[in-house]
Amino acid sequence: MAFTQDDVVRIERALAKGEHIVRFADRTVEYRSVQELIEARDRMLNELSKVGRRRARLLRLFHAGKGW
């Protein structure tokens, strides 16, 4: 399942308020405990960090002339 940063924000707001019910776009999820909310948030953050990883492009310039 693809998560967005907004989903993480909703989870963190629920944690801050002490709620167990989180409403996403078209669904409502009820978590059993705060620990389950924390695990869901960590799982979302882990997946989001994997998506953003890209190798940096490396550009090397070589000059073999006399430099005139």
Side-chain angles (χ1 to χ4, degrees):
M1 180 176 183
F3 299 109
T4 64
Q5 189 63 35
D6 292 336
D7 297 338
V8 175
V9 169
R10 286 186 182 100
I11 292 279
E12 288 177 344
R13 284 183 188 158
L15 280 169
K17 292 179 181 178
E19 297 176 349
H20 293 279
I21 298 174
V22 180
R23 288 177 183 81
F24 297 101
D26 58 344
R27 64 192 186 283
T28 301
V29 180
E30 184 172 353
Y31 293 96
R32 292 176 285 203
S33 66
V34 173
Q35 183 61 33
E36 198 173 50
L37 269 168
I38 292 171
E39 289 171 2
R41 182 199 59 195
D42 292 344
R43 198 168 42 244
M44 288 178 184
L45 289 173
N46 187 21
E47 284 195 29
L48 285 173
S49 69
K50 288 179 184 177
V51 170
R53 290 185 196 161
R54 240 195 301 171
R55 287 185 58 187
R57 181 176 290 183
L58 182 62
L59 179 65
R60 294 182 181 167
L61 301 174
F62 294 98
H63 179 62
K66 293 184 179 183
W68 292 353

